[in-house]
Amino acid sequence: MKVFICGGAGYIGSHLVHELSTLSQYEIIIIDNLSKGHVESIPAGITFENADICDKGALERVFTKHKPEAVMHFCASIAVGESVTDPLGYYENNVVGTIYLLQAMKKHNVKYFIFSSTAAIFGNPEETPIPDDSPTKPINPYGDTKLTVEKILAWTEDAHGIKYVCLRYFNACGAHESGKIGEDHDPETHLIPVILQVALGKREKIKIYGDKYDTKDGTCVRDYVHVTDLATAHIKALEYLVRENKSNKFNLGSGEGYTVKEVIEASRKITGHPIPEIIEEPRAGDPAILIAGSERAEKILGWKRKYNTIEDIVKTAWKYHQSHPNGYNNK
Ligand code: UFG
């Protein structure tokens, strides 16, 4: 089966590419404009098209050339704080780009779509762990762009028969166990890589954004899910689409949350570095607690996580960061 991996040179996309490339029944074509992705993450022998999903002509060219049967869509702007200051840029990239992609799928009769959604669609959830059918109420533009696409997908299925799976990631983290690929955003804003940059001596301190939340130590709680486990969920989702020809939405969490302070403490243990911390003002758009179960994904997709503790996760991230102290480009 020919599969387009849009955003396949990015953090989560590259881990999916590595897992999918071990399965002989899939032919992978990576579509990425390299605005955030890294060509260095692409394994030898994988087809790569440098194309932007916001460029209709480029999409027409790659769909005509490769004739994919399924599309996995990882391209998005993902920083919650930045989405608050640049909502228009976020809607353009995350919503308009996805519309163009779906239009190309419709034109070229591609039936299956897997969408990277997010826990941010739930806003401040009414229930924790967040059930798969929980009401959605994003509190930042980033979450709203992803929810908007989920709504567009429902209408697109009705009108054009494109079957889709939305995977609502909680906090993606960690790195491939080889240490060869990992998380490299510029600038880096995510908690674990930022903490590890302190351990590498690239930052002086980790800034903790707020310690007055209603949580056990006052810092935000998040559900950290290893990126390879997220990749496995995509493969299960594709198998499900082909097998059942039905659309669905799944939370991908671990059922457990860690506070910012607990993640810092785990990182001190793994790295042996004191990792000094400083309390800062809370960051705009941050909910206090985001935790999800994954009952539906486990039951319907047969998804099973391999990495179950924050220490196991940080260990893999540390292996990548130690071998790439300046990221892929050695900046
Ligand atoms: N944090 C700090 N200091 C930092 C960086 C982060 O205290 O230097 C805190 C944040 O305030 C937050 C937690 O660490 O409480 C995690 O922050 P991240 O930036 O790592 O991740 P977010 O929870 O903001 O967002 C991530 C993804 C989103 C996704 C969300 C779902 O980036 O795409 O998880 O839970 F929607």
Side-chain angles (χ1 to χ4, degrees), residues 3 11 16 50 91 164-165 178 272 283 292 330:
V3 189
Y11 172 43
L16 178 273
N50 188 337
Y91 283 95
Y164 64 91
V165 166
S178 65
R283 198 172 60 174
N330 205 25

Side-chain angles (χ1 to χ4, degrees), residues 194-235:
V194 171
I195 293 172
L196 296 180
Q197 287 180 346
V198 179
L200 286 169
K202 295 170 65 75
R203 291 177 194 247
E204 246 178 68
K205 289 180 179 153
I206 175 73
K207 295 177 180 170
I208 297 177
Y209 298 133
D211 68 346
K212 301 281 182 290
Y213 287 96
D214 188 11
T215 61
K216 62 178 162 183
D217 61 21
T219 63
C220 287
V221 173
R222 292 289 181 272
D223 186 340
Y224 294 90
V225 185
H226 196 276
V227 64
T228 300
D229 286 330
L230 293 180
T232 312
H234 286 76
I235 298 172

Side-chain angles (χ1 to χ4, degrees), residues 113-148:
F113 188 71
I114 298 183
F115 178 58
S116 299
S117 189
T118 173
I121 63 170
F122 296 113
N124 282 310
E126 286 166 15
E127 211 183 312
T128 293
I130 303 169
D132 290 278
D133 285 323
S134 200
T136 48
K137 205 165 180 248
I139 58 166
N140 52 59
Y142 166 68
D144 198 51
T145 63
K146 293 286 185 173
L147 182 59
T148 303

Side-chain angles (χ1 to χ4, degrees), residues 249-325:
K249 300 166 181 176
F250 300 94
N251 286 352
L252 298 180
S254 72
E256 258 196 78
Y258 293 93
T259 66
V260 173
K261 286 193 172 173
E262 285 172 333
V263 177
I264 298 171
E265 203 42 54
S267 306
R268 288 182 180 130
K269 260 193 232 149
I270 301 296
T271 62
H273 189 282
I275 310 181
E277 61 186 50
I278 179 169
I279 308 296
E280 297 273 334
E281 286 301 306
R283 198 172 60 174
D286 263 352
I289 302 178
L290 279 176
I291 304 175
S294 52
E295 289 74 21
R296 190 189 278 172
E298 283 168 28
K299 203 165 140 214
I300 297 182
L301 300 181
W303 183 55
K304 221 170 168 315
R305 278 171 296 105
K306 186 170 153 200
Y307 296 89
N308 290 300
T309 67
I310 193 70
E311 282 82 9
D312 283 351
I313 288 171
V314 172
K315 225 179 264 174
T316 62
W318 184 226
K319 189 167 175 186
Y320 167 76
H321 281 273
Q322 278 183 304
S323 56
H324 300 77

Side-chain angles (χ1 to χ4, degrees), residues 38 40 184 202 323-331:
H38 303 277
E40 299 84 350
D184 179 357
K202 295 170 65 75
S323 56
H324 300 77
N326 298 309
Y328 285 113
N329 304 327
N330 205 25
K331 305 181 276 289

